[in-house]
Amino acid sequence: MDEKLANIPHSSTDFITRFSSRHRTQVAFLKDRLQGATSYDRIAGYFRSSIFELIHEEVSAIGKVRIICNSDLDPRDVAVGKAAEDVVQRRMLEKWNSEDDPVASLKNRSRFERLYELLKAGNVEIKVVSRDDAPFLHGKAGVVRYPDGTSTSFMGSINETAQGWMHSYELVWEDRSLDGTLWVQAEFDELWKIGRRLPEAVVEEIGRTARKVQVKLGSLPDDKIGQSALVESPLYRRGEELMPWQRAFVTLFNEHRLRYGKARLLLADEVGVGKTLSMATAALVSALQGDGPVLILCPATLGIQWQTELLDKLNVPTALWLSSKKMWRDPHGHLIRTRGAEDITRCPYRIGIVSTGLIVQDTKEVEHLLRKQYGMVILDEAHKARKQRALGKDPIAGNLLKFMMSVADRSRHIILGTATPIQTEVDELWDLLEVLNRSATHVLGRDMSTWRKPDQVRDILTGNVAVQDEAEAWNLLRNPLPPRTDATLFDNIYQDLGYDETARDFTDRPYTDLDQFTRDELLDSLRAGTRGNKFFQYHNPISRHVVLRRRKSLEDAGLMKKIGVEMWPNPLDPNLRLFEGQAVKTSGDFDLAYEAVERFTTALGQRVKGAGFMKNLLRQRICSSVASGLSTCRKLIEKRQLDDEVVEDELDELLAEDPDLAGVFSVEIRHLNEVIFHLEKNPSDPKLDTCIYFLEEKVWLEDGCIIFSQYYDTAHWVAEKLSHHFPDETVAVYGGAGRSGIFLNGQWQSVDREDIKKAVREYEIRLVVATDAAAEGLNLQTLATLINIDLPWNPSRLEQRIGRIKRYGQKRETVKMANLVYQNTVDEKVYGKLSARMKDRYDLLGSLPDVIDDEWIDDIEAFEEGLKEFTNHRKNTADVFELRYGSFLQDDGSSWQLCEEVLDKDEAMKVLSSGW
């Protein structure tokens, strides 16, 4: 018998030895067998930090160690290709982080350190297999080989951890026969062939876990707060992260904060690039830095999305103001009682979210908000803050623009977010720039600055005019004076003028005060330009404060995966019997109901001035589904709150902000009753039939499908009907706080949203019906098809929807999307114009504005002209700003994922939970 094995208890045969952990002395079984080994192949259980706890030194001395581990990966997650590698990395990181016990992490720091050293040494290789390929749990085995050609193998529930041997009942069967070794080796080799390498990101996370330390806010430099706060946020724990261009925006915010003392930025990234998360992270950083209260202003329809994303991704609690109730809503859906409108300035959290509808309607809350000082104000869909311009009349600032000009005087930082800084007039961009310039003249300069006059600088910005004259150039440079760090030329100017600051808003010194060397350098720069463009195309105050990154630039840089979208209905498919052109066929009764809706909206418009939003809202709700149309009409008649999670943000908010809309007159009730009469005749809905057609006949269910609606009543109704049609299929409803759940054979059960997301990721649910209000934090890369059962007149919402499956981690090269609109409705007309611009299977919405103005809807010809104008302005705007930020896609290259200084969670939560 081999000398190494002589002193180990064994059976009556020479080849078989049996062990159990009942005999405590046998805890050293593997430790003894691995001494002096040349190779070690091991079929293990789950990959955990304790995998080498008892045998670290022995494994370190072995030339070749291969471990195959179990995992929760689905076979569909481990398909071949780069996308699958990304999925494996994310899922493994998520699994690793889900089992991280903060107490154990601290206690076992040395174990993590040793494991990291082993994995980086090069002699240990680890692979993982999917749960379907090898759901072994305790089916463990291994082969150990020695320099003299001998070997041994073992099988059983052996656990390498001291904890396992001390507290579990372990059985091991050692077989030193050639047949036994060959059999175990063959099993290992088969698993090794189908396994995937342990991602390097998991290895680095092990090292980070070993080295991480908890730190206090006061010990962190400002530019490290973001990564320290986020590295263990839900976003990062799920194996995801801020994209490089999003981190770059946060970096820019910190730079401006340090350079100017206040950050004034317009984020104009294209739809789908992730503006919300960029701005949200900047808000988090500002709040943690102690800058003061953060006010987020957004359309009412986006309030819950903001609140959900901040909590679900960044673990940031916020409060949402409900003007209909005059109360704050906490992130879990609970209402916080107040004294009334005046308590809008008593937000219970550091970050508060308020509807821009309040501002537009000039409600009581506005005067209270304007008495407050803010650390940061964020305006989402900022293009709505503009002047009304009519031919032959002086421009008139709307209420939202007036408010922003006032609140900018009371705020340190202002961030404006919109993919459409120019809707129809170039001057609209300057409306927003003037907001940034309030109490911050380093943006556009003081009163006499040429940069505040768009007619005089437009051609300079586009490069149609090249400034060559020294005096003219100095006039453009001195007001505002560029920061000295922007170019060597500017540093020389600061030195010549004797300025010590990093940035100044103005100098009244003449250019003759500059050294001749600096003047010559200026003239040379004017002639040579910058980065292949004219000097002032790159060096101008507008591009310093407007950030625009295009999707195509990100894809070309390899930062975004290019995923195609197959659009349906496809006119080339002869079997689309449910469609008439691009629209779903409707019944005569539905057409009569729709005509009654038009009569209602006409009557409402005659009675109530400015009822356009209400009119279009009702149109959209009946265009969503028969169920939504019925519930809306009934509850308008009954003057009850609509049963919809976004009604707080739409109809209720509208009624609260404009009392003239609160009552429904008798003539309007008659039209609403007509709608109900005609809709009730047909218990079915052609859109529901079309969903079943795609899921069943087009086999979309096999690839997994998400169905989107703007409205909860539509989503819940569709999910229930689909559950009856597919009785064995679990159908999830993904809605706002407290409104999510699953249907099975028509039976409903409330389920937490996180449980739904987990079930979808693990392929346990493949049919989800979701509302826009909850969609922002939803990542469903395991699904490959999407049905828009209704279409919001808001292209950014469409991009957010397709972004749930067309995103990082999607393994398929192409996903499928169906858009359902009823024929002979305004929806069909709007979609007809949008679809012509959505034919690029990769860049669906790059040429579309963030939001379609309400006034465009009634005049389809004006709608088309508006889209053309937007496209032209967008191209020119993008060309100007991409000169500066087209390459500004990444930060310094250091991954926040690897940050080892972790912000104290309790301290962070205490700061974020402190009220205004």
Side-chain angles (χ1 to χ4, degrees):
M1 185 182 294
D2 191 309
E3 189 175 315
K4 289 183 285 295
L5 311 178
N7 296 320
I8 302 299
H10 55 276
S11 69
S12 56
T13 71
D14 286 337
F15 299 114
I16 304 296
T17 310
R18 304 179 186 92
F19 299 87
S20 85
S21 57
R22 218 160 31 88
H23 305 285
R24 299 301 181 197
T25 56
Q26 295 169 8
V27 71
F29 166 74
L30 259 182
K31 199 172 183 69
D32 290 340
R33 297 302 187 269
L34 292 176
Q35 287 180 6
T38 55
S39 71
Y40 174 37
D41 287 343
R42 172 83 158 96
I43 300 172
Y46 282 104
F47 175 72
R48 293 190 173 93
S49 64
S50 56
I51 192 167
F52 300 130
E53 183 181 8
L54 296 177
I55 53 172
H56 174 265
E57 291 181 9
E58 288 72 20
V59 168
S60 301
I62 299 174
K64 183 180 181 182
V65 177
R66 298 186 298 175
I67 312 290
I68 188 80
C69 291
N70 196 8
S71 74
D72 283 331
L73 295 172
D74 187 277
R76 287 161 285 193
D77 287 335
V78 292
V80 177
K82 176 65 169 67
E85 291 176 12
D86 294 338
V87 173
V88 170
Q89 173 174 307
R90 192 177 64 253
R91 293 299 300 276
M92 288 295 294
L93 274 172
E94 183 178 21
K95 176 69 176 174
W96 174 268
N97 288 327
S98 68
E99 296 180 352
D100 181 22
D101 179 344
V103 176
S105 293
L106 188 61
K107 280 177 60 180
N108 300 320
R109 177 164 299 198
S110 58
R111 180 208 293 171
F112 287 106
E113 183 92 41
R114 291 195 300 269
L115 176 58
Y116 179 71
E117 290 171 355
L118 271 177
L119 295 175
K120 297 296 283 187
N123 65 317
V124 176
E125 189 175 357
I126 294 179
K127 286 188 178 183
V128 295
V129 290
S130 74
R131 59 174 178 244
D132 281 15
D133 288 329
F136 27 75
L137 297 176
H138 290 290
K140 303 166 186 175
V143 175
V144 185
R145 300 184 184 277
Y146 302 99
D148 60 3
T150 59
S151 61
T152 188
S153 64
F154 61 86
M155 291 173 283
S157 58
I158 182 171
N159 194 318
E160 286 92 339
T161 69
Q163 185 82 359
W165 275 99
M166 294 299 293
H167 299 288
S168 302
Y169 186 70
E170 305 288 348
L171 291 172
V172 184
W173 186 292
E174 183 184 20
D175 188 342
R176 296 181 298 281
S177 70
L178 180 59
D179 284 349
T181 301
L182 291 176
W183 188 87
V184 174
Q185 188 68 56
E187 289 296 311
F188 173 88
D189 290 344
E190 284 302 309
L191 291 173
W192 189 256
K193 260 195 305 191
I194 60 175
R196 297 190 71 93
R197 293 183 187 280
L198 185 71
E200 184 63 24
V202 177
V203 177
E204 292 303 328
E205 176 64 12
I206 293 168
R208 190 191 75 84
T209 304
R211 298 184 297 270
K212 73 179 180 182
V213 293
Q214 183 173 282
V215 295
K216 296 290 186 180
L217 266 172
S219 66
L220 283 170
D222 289 351
D223 61 347
K224 297 297 182 185
I225 288 177
Q227 52 192 286
S228 294
L230 289 192
V231 68
E232 297 196 343
S233 67
L235 179 75
Y236 278 75
R237 302 294 282 178
R238 291 196 299 263
E240 302 174 47
E241 62 178 330
L242 284 187
M243 293 295 99
W245 61 92
Q246 293 172 319
R247 298 197 303 265
F249 180 77
V250 180
T251 299
L252 184 68
F253 163 75
N254 271 318
E255 288 175 356
H256 279 233
R257 183 180 181 274
L258 179 63
R259 180 187 298 160
Y260 303 111
K262 51 182 67 175
R264 300 298 178 99
L265 296 166
L266 169 56
L267 182 57
D269 286 349
E270 280 189 344
V271 172
V273 171
K275 291 187 296 297
T276 303
L277 202 51
S278 296
M279 294 189 291
T281 306
L284 168 63
V285 170
S286 176
L288 292 175
Q289 286 171 324
D291 293 339
V294 177
L295 170 64
I296 297 174
L297 295 166
C298 64
T301 51
L302 299 181
I304 289 178
Q305 290 186 35
W306 264 95
Q307 191 174 43
T308 300
E309 182 155 4
L310 278 160
L311 185 67
D312 287 0
K313 291 191 174 182
L314 308 184
N315 196 33
V316 173
T318 61
L320 173 66
W321 179 258
L322 302 179
S323 62
S324 57
K325 297 179 174 66
K326 300 292 185 285
M327 292 183 188
W328 287 102
R329 175 190 188 272
D330 79 5
H332 306 291
H334 305 131
L335 298 182
I336 300 168
R337 291 195 173 277
T338 64
R339 296 167 299 176
E342 66 268 28
D343 276 355
I344 195 170
T345 58
R346 295 170 63 87
C347 178
Y349 293 93
R350 183 82 331 197
I351 300 176
I353 304 167
V354 172
S355 163
T356 48
L358 288 176
I359 315 301
V360 172
Q361 296 296 331
D362 197 22
T363 60
K364 291 180 181 178
E365 286 92 330
V366 171
E367 60 182 271
H368 296 293
L369 287 171
L370 288 178
R371 293 174 185 158
K372 192 81 183 165
Q373 295 286 336
Y374 302 96
M376 175 183 284
V377 173
I378 291 175
L379 176 62
D380 197 7
E381 293 195 8
H383 56 274
K384 293 188 174 182
R386 60 178 188 246
K387 294 176 181 174
Q388 301 299 320
R389 291 174 170 85
L391 193 62
K393 296 182 179 179
D394 291 335
I396 301 173
N399 285 342
L400 184 55
L401 180 58
K402 283 193 242 180
F403 177 86
M404 290 305 299
M405 295 291 277
S406 297
V407 84
D409 288 328
R410 311 183 67 81
S411 177
R412 180 173 177 181
H413 312 303
I414 298 284
I415 295 181
L416 308 177
T418 174
T420 57
I422 300 172
Q423 285 279 99
T424 55
E425 299 284 343
V426 173
D427 287 3
E428 291 168 353
L429 172 60
W430 266 259
D431 293 343
L432 300 179
L433 291 169
E434 286 291 352
V435 171
L436 299 182
N437 199 59
R438 285 295 287 258
S439 299
T441 50
H442 64 272
V443 177
L444 284 182
R446 299 187 183 183
D447 288 343
M448 300 305 294
S449 170
T450 306
W451 295 110
R452 299 180 69 174
K453 302 166 185 174
D455 289 342
Q456 295 185 29
V457 297
R458 185 182 298 121
D459 286 338
I460 294 173
L461 290 170
T462 58
N464 293 329
V465 169
V467 176
Q468 298 289 325
D469 179 71
E470 186 179 30
E472 182 182 359
W474 181 245
N475 187 52
L476 291 168
L477 281 176
R478 71 183 186 85
N479 186 14
L481 196 63
R484 70 189 309 158
T485 52
D486 256 18
T488 304
L489 169 64
F490 304 146
D491 184 50
N492 291 339
I493 289 172
Y494 274 70
Q495 290 186 52
D496 291 352
L497 299 179
Y499 297 147
D500 295 329
E501 303 96 323
T502 302
R504 290 174 63 95
D505 67 336
F506 174 78
T507 181
D508 57 3
R509 303 272 291 278
Y511 65 88
T512 52
D513 282 1
L514 301 177
D515 288 352
Q516 189 59 48
F517 173 83
T518 303
R519 292 174 62 180
D520 292 342
E521 187 182 5
L522 172 58
L523 288 172
D524 289 343
S525 298
L526 292 173
R527 296 189 190 104
T530 301
R531 301 193 181 185
N533 298 281
K534 296 179 176 65
F535 179 82
F536 282 108
Q537 277 187 278
Y538 187 86
H539 291 297
N540 63 78
I542 291 85
S543 67
R544 279 196 290 272
H545 297 275
V546 179
V547 179
L548 187 156
R549 280 78 59 92
R550 292 197 280 193
R551 186 187 203 98
K552 185 177 185 304
S553 300
L554 300 172
E555 289 174 347
D556 291 346
L559 298 174
M560 290 185 82
K561 181 185 176 184
K562 205 170 186 182
I563 301 172
V565 180
E566 189 178 297
M567 300 275 290
W568 290 80
N570 184 344
L572 300 179
D573 189 326
N575 299 317
L576 289 177
R577 63 183 183 281
L578 299 174
F579 288 87
E580 187 68 46
Q582 295 286 297
V584 176
K585 293 178 184 176
T586 55
S587 66
D589 284 314
F590 180 88
D591 295 341
L592 291 171
Y594 186 77
E595 290 172 11
V597 168
E598 291 293 335
R599 287 194 291 274
F600 167 80
T601 58
T602 300
L604 182 67
Q606 290 172 348
R607 180 174 66 85
V608 181
K609 183 181 178 182
F613 182 85
M614 175 74 163
K615 180 172 68 172
N616 287 331
L617 177 62
L618 183 57
R619 281 171 163 179
Q620 285 188 288
R621 289 184 67 91
I622 194 173
C623 285
S624 172
S625 68
V626 169
S628 179
L630 280 170
S631 69
T632 303
C633 292
R634 286 173 180 153
K635 291 170 184 177
L636 277 173
I637 291 172
E638 297 167 15
K639 299 179 183 178
R640 288 187 1 225
Q641 177 181 326
L642 285 171
D643 184 21
D644 195 303
E645 63 186 343
V646 294
V647 163
E648 289 181 336
D649 308 304
E650 280 188 315
L651 191 56
D652 271 8
E653 294 298 297
L654 181 68
L655 298 180
E657 293 159 9
D658 191 345
D660 288 338
L661 297 178
V664 181
F665 282 23
S666 58
V667 65
E668 295 154 10
I669 290 177
R670 178 162 53 83
H671 296 314
L672 292 172
N673 278 322
E674 285 182 70
V675 178
I676 294 171
F677 173 77
H678 291 298
L679 290 182
E680 282 183 333
K681 286 185 177 181
N682 290 303
S684 186
D685 187 323
K687 284 190 177 181
L688 177 65
D689 298 335
T690 308
C691 286
I692 293 171
Y693 166 78
F694 279 109
L695 293 170
E696 210 164 48
E697 296 187 36
K698 288 295 181 184
V699 204
W700 283 21
L701 187 55
E702 291 297 313
D703 282 333
C705 183
I706 182 167
I707 299 173
F708 266 113
S709 172
Q710 299 178 83
Y711 307 112
Y712 184 80
D713 47 15
T714 293
H716 193 274
W717 179 80
V718 168
E720 183 178 14
K721 294 297 182 184
L722 290 177
S723 176
H724 285 296
H725 187 85
F726 301 103
D728 297 327
E729 195 74 33
T730 301
V731 183
V733 176
Y734 191 89
R739 307 184 69 126
S740 298
I742 57 173
F743 279 107
L744 185 60
N745 196 15
Q747 296 296 308
W748 169 259
Q749 179 176 319
S750 295
V751 174
D752 187 81
R753 286 178 303 175
E754 289 303 314
D755 293 327
I756 291 175
K757 288 193 281 189
K758 183 173 184 289
V760 173
R761 286 197 303 272
E762 295 177 356
Y763 300 94
E764 294 171 4
I765 293 177
R766 57 179 181 171
L767 183 53
V768 180
V769 188
T771 64
D772 287 315
E776 189 62 31
L778 188 62
N779 301 326
L780 300 176
Q781 300 93 323
T782 56
L783 309 180
T785 65
L786 181 150
I787 299 173
N788 289 311
I789 203 164
D790 54 35
L791 286 173
W793 300 338
N794 181 328
S796 66
R797 290 264 198 101
L798 286 176
E799 183 65 40
Q800 287 165 0
R801 288 180 178 185
I802 193 64
R804 301 310 102 210
I805 62 174
K806 183 191 174 204
R807 64 188 302 109
Y808 175 77
Q810 175 59 256
K811 300 182 294 297
R812 302 155 185 93
E813 297 298 321
T814 301
V815 295
K816 299 174 182 177
M817 178 171 75
N819 299 311
L820 308 187
V821 293
Y822 294 125
Q823 69 179 136
N824 301 320
T825 62
V826 67
D827 255 18
E828 182 184 13
K829 295 176 183 177
V830 171
Y831 179 60
K833 296 301 179 184
L834 293 180
S835 63
R837 293 165 182 271
M838 294 169 63
K839 289 181 179 176
D840 185 328
R841 63 193 295 265
Y842 291 105
D843 186 14
L844 289 184
L845 303 174
S847 63
L848 292 176
D850 235 358
V851 177
I852 303 301
D853 274 0
D854 291 333
E855 55 263 31
W856 289 6
I857 302 299
D858 282 325
D859 188 341
I860 295 299
E861 295 305 317
F863 185 16
E864 177 64 19
E865 286 303 310
L867 290 178
K868 285 180 182 176
E869 284 291 316
F870 164 77
T871 303
N872 292 334
H873 289 314
R874 180 72 185 179
K875 182 180 184 304
N876 292 334
T877 305
D879 288 344
V880 169
F881 298 122
E882 198 168 25
L883 293 177
R884 188 173 184 96
Y885 292 120
S887 58
F888 180 57
L889 305 175
Q890 304 195 50
D891 52 15
D892 60 8
S894 61
S895 173
W896 289 15
Q897 189 87 54
L898 300 179
C899 180
E900 296 170 9
E901 292 184 312
V902 179
L903 184 60
D904 184 326
K905 290 180 182 178
D906 291 337
E907 183 186 17
M909 194 55 64
K910 183 177 180 181
V911 171
L912 297 172
S913 299
S914 60
W916 288 2

